[in-house]
Amino acid sequence: MNSVIEVKDLSLEIGSKKILSDISFSLEKGSFTAICGRNGAGKSQLLRILKGLRKPTNGNIYIKGEDVTKNKNKRLSSVGLVFQESDLQIVGETVEKDLMFGPENLLWPNDKIEAKVNEMLELFSLTKLRNRRPSTLSGGEKRRLAIASVLAMEPDIIFLDEPFAALDYPSVISLLDTLIMLHNKGVTLAIVTHEAERFLAHTTHTLLLKEGSVIFDGPSKDSLNVLKEADVFIPNLSFEELSWKM
């Protein structure tokens, strides 16, 4: 086992309401995970805890074997999170400056920052846009920039919250190609989505949450029946056909 992140008996209570109940799972290095479940299942709150934006009520979080439950800064640096609304995390005046922002805050030397920015510009097909203001980018370009800016900080894993939301079809295909490319390069990815039927075939692992509990944790190819039983929309197609890329 080569876990990037491992969760043991994680719980979250807000007031008198139990949001997450004794969740346990691990995500392996290089895996591509779909985190599924109906609205209210606890998916977004789980991401906030893993990132370090919320404190769990109980349980432990391990990153590469190290217990980081009480180490918020370690989770903040090791876990990348791409929000559903790209505008919320794009802060630079230009594409280039947005890519520089994270590494600068990590106090990297200038030569390392420059090399990383150039690498991300090329990897995400943003080189021609380096001097553009983010406000002038399309929705798909903003989403790619948001992912690139997170990856630039070299996190151990990247979580994406509904990354396909509000994108037109060409932007969806471009983003899906980007995610497949990152997975093929060995980047560990996990996507929270209610549209699993559109990209599940490209994932290796599926987590299904229902009412704050994990009810499926296994290979994506084995998840179809349990997803349907949990009222997650899955059309009557083979696993290989569950993709926008037809």
Side-chain angles (χ1 to χ4, degrees):
M1 300 288 283
N2 190 15
S3 297
V4 170
I5 192 164
E6 184 177 5
V7 171
K8 290 186 177 180
D9 302 321
L10 194 72
S11 297
L12 174 66
E13 296 179 9
I14 300 179
S16 60
K17 186 175 182 181
K18 199 156 195 176
I19 308 299
L20 299 172
S21 303
D22 300 322
I23 285 181
S24 296
F25 64 86
S26 64
L27 303 181
E28 302 305 306
K29 181 176 176 59
S31 60
F32 189 174
T33 300
I35 303 177
C36 305
R38 295 173 64 85
N39 289 341
K43 304 184 301 296
S44 293
Q45 293 293 352
L46 175 61
L47 293 197
R48 292 179 64 82
I49 291 172
L50 298 179
K51 174 62 177 171
L53 302 177
R54 180 178 286 280
K55 183 180 178 181
T57 305
N58 291 299
N60 296 86
I61 302 165
Y62 301 85
I63 294 178
K64 295 193 292 189
E66 177 186 354
D67 189 341
V68 297
T69 311
K70 297 181 180 180
N71 190 341
K72 176 182 175 180
N73 290 335
K74 179 68 173 180
R75 302 210 308 277
L76 285 171
S77 63
S78 298
V79 175
L81 176 57
V82 180
F83 294 99
Q84 181 174 339
E85 298 293 336
S86 300
D87 289 333
L88 294 177
Q89 63 187 109
I90 295 176
V91 296
E93 294 180 359
T94 66
V95 167
E96 181 178 46
K97 289 182 178 179
D98 193 71
L99 290 169
M100 294 170 62
F101 180 80
E104 284 179 340
N105 278 275
L106 293 174
L107 303 180
W108 289 7
N110 289 337
D111 57 343
K112 182 178 179 180
I113 293 174
E114 182 180 359
K116 179 59 65 174
V117 168
N118 288 332
E119 177 189 349
M120 293 298 103
L121 288 169
E122 182 176 355
L123 187 64
F124 287 86
S125 301
L126 295 169
T127 302
K128 293 181 179 179
L129 305 175
R130 69 187 304 154
N131 295 316
R132 286 267 297 274
R133 297 182 66 85
S135 60
T136 68
L137 303 180
S138 69
E141 290 166 344
K142 287 181 180 178
R143 200 66 50 87
R144 294 207 313 275
L145 174 58
I147 298 171
S149 295
V150 168
L151 186 63
M153 293 181 282
E154 300 183 348
D156 293 303
I157 185 170
I158 297 178
F159 289 92
L160 302 100
D161 193 1
E162 299 288 358
F164 303 109
L167 296 184
D168 59 19
Y169 182 75
S171 296
V172 165
I173 295 301
S174 175
L175 178 57
L176 184 55
D177 283 337
T178 297
L179 295 175
I180 293 170
M181 174 269 294
L182 292 176
H183 171 54
N184 289 337
K185 286 183 173 291
V187 178
T188 309
L189 301 168
I191 295 181
V192 163
T193 182
H194 68 281
E195 297 177 296
E197 78 280 3
R198 302 299 182 89
F199 81 104
L200 194 67
H202 303 290
T203 66
T204 59
H205 178 219
T206 294
L207 280 176
L208 175 59
L209 274 64
K210 183 176 182 180
E211 298 177 354
S213 297
V214 173
I215 63 170
F216 180 85
D217 176 6
S220 293
K221 61 183 177 60
D222 297 334
S223 68
L224 299 191
N225 288 337
V226 70
L227 289 172
K228 292 176 183 178
E229 290 170 0
D231 295 325
V232 175
F233 175 69
I234 298 292
N236 291 320
L237 299 171
S238 69
F239 176 72
E240 291 73 19
E241 293 174 309
L242 295 176
S243 172
W244 273 289
K245 294 174 63 63
M246 298 297 293

